[in-house]
């Protein structure tokens, strides 16, 4: 199916766009929109433009030099646009999917960007997606590292010899980051997270490598040229993905009887990105099943996988273990499954203030779950034939 470049369809966008274009920009845009002679004061133009989706803003860069500078390089504008997008339900959220062919098949790889509102909440057509500009050549392997943050995604790609790459899929801009020199461990499991430190207005990547019961944490601040070690990562083996919540990075850590703990004990290790100090958070006391760490809305989330259901627990007040709340028990999607439902991605799509749809992914497919009706439906996304991974991102102008 041909890719479709589909802009945000919020009802406010056509009205704003028509207003901006009503004065015929093509006649004399430099005169019309110069700082001294534009039809609206500068702060009014700022407030209008910040409400537009990123793809519309990229087109408006061609209107005049002041707009180009505002949209492409003004940090204040980029952060204001991010706040606006974050407050606008799911209109500015997208599902990013990477697919690579199986071995012994014709080698192919690609990334697709699906709008959540248009693709997952409607049934009036086929797939709607576009293929973003990305640091990926045909046949390259790509790996998502950690969670997304402010519309940025951390990936590793074959052609960069495993150097981490910070990428904004909406704008197509990316930055190749330095590798860790003199890697602290020869063979290990690695769990990497991306987060934002508001105290310094900077992005940080933290990589925890684990081997033989020992964990070492290394941090890189984007814009610098090196990595450094953060001491005292707590005892335990990090599991699965890393989640960015409340200005912290969070790892689910497994502890066992060899460490003096009860069998299959788990704890959440939290890193405050400003102080760079670790803390421990206990999971829900009543949790049953194998745990996986997730984020749901703005909450830290535990998914507990039992034989026939997956329970969704959220921490409504960060670091307050008394605030753990069980939201849902999600049953099997298939009537005769070959294995239990290890849902490993969760995102809430708000239809309105009272109705929500939850996006889930298991090993083979994406599914939508309506917790009110307790029903499943299939989203407008194909069953991918090959290795695939995914992240939910928000439209952003933030420069990597």
């Amino acid at each position: 199916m041909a890719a479709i470049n589909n802009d945000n369809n919020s009802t406010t966008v056509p009205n704003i766009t028509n207003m901006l274009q009503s004065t015929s920009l093509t006649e004399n845009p430099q005169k019309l929109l110069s700082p001294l002679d534009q039809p609206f004061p500068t702060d009014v133009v700022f407030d209008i433009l910040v409400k537009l989706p990123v793809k519309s803003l990229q087109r408006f860069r061609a209107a005049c030099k002041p707009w180009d500078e505002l949209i492409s390089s003004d940090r204040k504008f980029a952060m204001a646009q991010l706040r606006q997008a974050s407050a606008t339900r799911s209109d500015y959220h997208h599902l990013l999917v990477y697919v690579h062919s199986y071995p012994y098949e014709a080698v192919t790889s690609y990334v697709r960007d699906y709008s959540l509102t248009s693709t997952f909440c409607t049934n009036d057509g086929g797939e709607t997606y576009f293929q973003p500009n990305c640091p990926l050549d045909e046949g390259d392997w790509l790996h998502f590292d950690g969670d997304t943050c402010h519309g940025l995604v951390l990936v590793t790609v074959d052609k960069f010899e495993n150097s981490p790459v910070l990428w904004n899929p909406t704008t197509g801009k990316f930055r190749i980051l330095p590798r860790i020199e003199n890697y602290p461990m020869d063979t290990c499991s690695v769990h990497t997270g991306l987060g934002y430190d508001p105290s310094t207005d900077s992005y940080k990547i933290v990589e925890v490598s684990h081997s033989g019961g020992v964990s070492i944490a290394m941090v890189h601040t984007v814009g610098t040229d090196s990595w450094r070690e953060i001491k005292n990562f707590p005892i335990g083996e990090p599991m699965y993905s890393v989640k960015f919540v409340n200005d912290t990075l969070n790892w689910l850590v497994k502890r066992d009887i060899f460490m003096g703990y009860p069998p299959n004990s788990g704890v959440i290790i939290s890193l405050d990105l400003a102080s760079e100090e670790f803390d421990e958070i206990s999971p829900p006391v009543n949790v049953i099943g194998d745990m996986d760490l997730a984020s749901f809305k703005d909450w830290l989330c535990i998914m507990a996988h039992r034989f026939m259901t997956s329970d969704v627990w959220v921490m409504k007040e960060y670091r307050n273990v008394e605030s753990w709340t069980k939201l849902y028990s999600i049953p099997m999607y298939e009537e005769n499954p070959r294995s239990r439902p290890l849902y490993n991605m969760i995102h809430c799509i708000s239809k309105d203030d009272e109705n929500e749809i939850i996006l889930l992914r298991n090993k083979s497919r994406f599914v939508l779950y309506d917790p009110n009706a307790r029903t499943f439906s299939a989203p407008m996304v194909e069953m991918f034939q090959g290795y695939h991974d995914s992240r939910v991102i928000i439209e952003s102008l933030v420069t990597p």
Side-chain angles (χ1 to χ4, degrees):
M1 175 175 295
I4 302 171
N5 193 332
N6 188 29
D7 284 336
N8 182 281
N9 61 355
S10 171
T11 56
T12 61
V13 173
N15 295 333
I16 296 174
T17 304
N18 291 339
M19 179 177 65
L20 291 171
Q21 292 179 333
S22 63
T23 46
S24 301
L25 300 181
T26 56
E27 293 179 3
N28 193 346
Q30 289 293 344
K31 180 178 186 300
L32 178 64
L33 298 169
S34 67
L36 298 178
D37 196 30
Q38 59 184 358
F40 306 109
T42 301
D43 59 339
V44 174
V45 172
F46 185 105
D47 291 340
I48 293 174
L49 290 177
V50 81
K51 293 179 172 63
L52 293 173
V54 172
K55 293 178 183 61
S56 296
L57 290 172
Q58 288 178 314
R59 291 200 301 270
F60 280 123
R61 288 177 54 193
C64 62
K65 186 176 180 180
W67 283 22
D68 180 38
E69 293 176 348
L70 178 70
I71 295 167
S72 63
S73 58
D74 189 307
R75 174 71 173 176
K76 178 182 176 182
F77 182 80
M79 297 306 285
Q81 181 277 330
L82 178 66
R83 289 191 295 272
Q84 174 71 27
S86 300
T88 314
R89 300 185 187 277
S90 295
D91 290 348
Y92 290 81
H93 286 83
H94 296 249
L95 176 67
L96 200 68
V97 180
Y98 162 73
V99 178
H100 193 285
S101 55
Y102 285 127
Y104 311 113
E105 296 179 350
V107 177
T108 184
S109 59
Y110 57 84
V111 177
R112 289 180 179 174
D113 182 322
Y114 296 84
S115 167
L116 285 185
T117 51
S118 63
T119 303
F120 294 99
C121 298
T122 63
N123 293 304
D124 55 358
E127 293 180 293
T128 300
Y129 66 86
F130 74 95
Q131 293 179 262
N133 293 325
C134 64
L136 183 74
D137 291 335
E138 179 68 22
D140 270 347
W141 281 97
L142 177 146
H143 177 71
F144 292 119
D145 293 311
D147 217 350
T148 63
C149 178
H150 293 181
L152 301 177
V153 185
L154 186 68
V155 298
T156 51
V157 185
D158 276 353
K159 70 177 180 180
F160 298 118
E161 298 180 348
N162 293 321
S163 290
V165 177
L166 193 58
W167 171 41
N168 184 327
T170 309
T171 64
K173 296 180 180 179
F174 65 90
R175 176 198 293 254
I176 302 172
L177 305 176
R179 288 180 292 176
I180 298 177
E181 300 295 339
N182 302 316
Y183 203 80
M185 294 182 176
D186 294 331
T187 58
C188 58
S189 61
V190 177
H191 303 266
T192 306
L194 165 67
Y196 174 71
D197 177 2
S199 69
T200 57
D201 188 25
S202 62
Y203 294 92
K204 292 181 177 180
I205 293 100
V206 180
E207 182 173 294
V208 176
S209 51
H210 179 86
S211 180
V214 177
S215 295
I216 297 177
M218 304 289 290
V219 62
H220 170 74
T221 301
V222 176
T224 65
D225 58 2
S226 62
W227 293 72
R228 51 191 170 80
E229 184 178 351
I230 304 177
K231 301 290 187 180
N232 302 320
F233 189 89
I235 293 174
E237 179 182 359
M239 306 292 289
Y240 312 115
S241 60
V242 186
K243 295 300 174 182
F244 174 65
V245 177
N246 203 59
D247 302 332
T248 68
L249 289 175
N250 298 270
W251 292 259
L252 181 63
V253 167
K254 177 182 177 182
R255 290 170 170 169
D256 54 36
I257 56 176
F258 298 105
M259 301 174 186
Y261 294 91
N264 299 319
S265 294
V267 67
I268 298 167
I269 302 302
S270 169
L271 175 67
D272 185 297
L273 289 174
S275 65
E276 296 188 357
E277 294 181 353
F278 293 105
D279 195 8
E280 297 188 11
I281 300 174
S282 298
V285 294
N286 296 322
V287 68
I288 300 175
D290 296 332
M291 292 187 295
D292 193 6
L293 199 61
S295 57
F296 187 71
K297 300 182 180 179
D298 294 325
W299 297 318
L300 189 64
C301 174
I302 287 283
M303 295 198 73
H305 305 297
R306 294 187 281 163
F307 180 68
M308 295 298 292
T309 59
S310 288
D311 297 332
V312 179
W313 292 79
V314 297
M315 178 176 273
K316 292 193 171 181
E317 183 182 345
Y318 189 73
R319 283 201 175 97
N320 179 5
V321 295
E322 301 297 326
S323 70
W324 279 114
T325 304
K326 183 179 174 180
L327 289 186
Y328 311 114
S329 287
I330 303 175
M332 289 279 194
Y333 175 58
E334 302 173 22
E335 293 183 0
N336 298 297
R338 285 174 283 185
S339 62
R340 58 185 175 164
L342 295 177
Y343 300 122
N344 58 1
M345 190 188 75
I346 186 168
H347 185 79
C348 178
I349 305 170
S350 297
K351 298 170 67 176
D352 53 49
D353 290 334
E354 297 182 355
N355 296 291
E356 297 177 339
I357 299 294
I358 301 173
L359 172 65
L360 301 164
R361 182 179 70 113
N362 60 19
K363 292 181 179 180
S364 60
R365 69 181 70 191
F366 292 97
V367 294
L368 296 171
Y369 180 67
D370 184 332
N372 291 326
R374 298 183 180 181
T375 57
F376 289 94
S377 58
M380 294 295 178
V381 178
E382 68 171 284
M383 292 281 291
F384 296 108
Q385 300 301 314
Y387 297 108
H388 62 277
D389 200 357
S390 57
R391 292 293 186 274
V392 173
I393 63 168
I394 190 169
E395 288 186 20
S396 160
L397 288 168
V398 173
T399 301

